[in-house]
Amino acid sequence: MNKGFVAIQRQGAYNVFIVDLWDNRVPRIAVKLPAAPDELNLISPYPNLKDFWSASEREWGWTVPPGAPIPDLGPLFDLAQNYNPPNGPMTLTSAPTPPA
């Protein structure tokens, strides 16, 4: 199985921003958060994509439909910057208040 994987990592070797491209699956994009998006009062930056929350991975992600282009990744960079301190690992207390 071929897989392309792009990630931004912080000290402590954990990924904070992820783009997965598989040869036999739809692409997915994701960002690590200190808590579930609804607990942080976040609105999906990709309302037209199916999203998922993985509590064990603390990962908020979206799947891209077959044949659709990868969306603008700027919102994921913004989320990673807001919720992942430069010296990691992230904790709930290290998360800033999201912009209104």
Side-chain angles (χ1 to χ4, degrees):
M1 171 180 340
N2 293 325
K3 177 182 180 184
F5 181 82
V6 177
I8 294 175
Q9 293 187 327
R10 295 284 193 228
Q11 284 182 314
Y14 69 94
N15 300 320
V16 296
F17 171 95
I18 301 138
V19 178
D20 275 333
L21 302 170
W22 298 72
D23 67 350
N24 63 346
R25 295 185 190 172
V26 296
R28 78 178 183 101
I29 54 178
V31 66
K32 298 288 186 171
L33 296 176
D38 56 340
E39 292 177 43
L40 297 171
N41 296 317
L42 295 176
I43 296 171
S44 175
Y46 305 109
N48 296 328
L49 297 179
K50 180 177 169 43
D51 72 331
F52 62 88
W53 169 250
S54 171
S56 64
E57 295 290 323
R58 296 194 324 192
E59 187 173 283
W60 190 20
W62 298 264
T63 53
V64 180
I70 301 292
D72 175 17
L73 299 178
L76 287 187
F77 281 108
D78 294 342
L79 283 170
Q81 183 176 11
N82 286 334
Y83 290 104
N84 292 274
N87 296 317
M90 145 184 73
T91 64
L92 184 56
T93 57
S94 68
T97 303

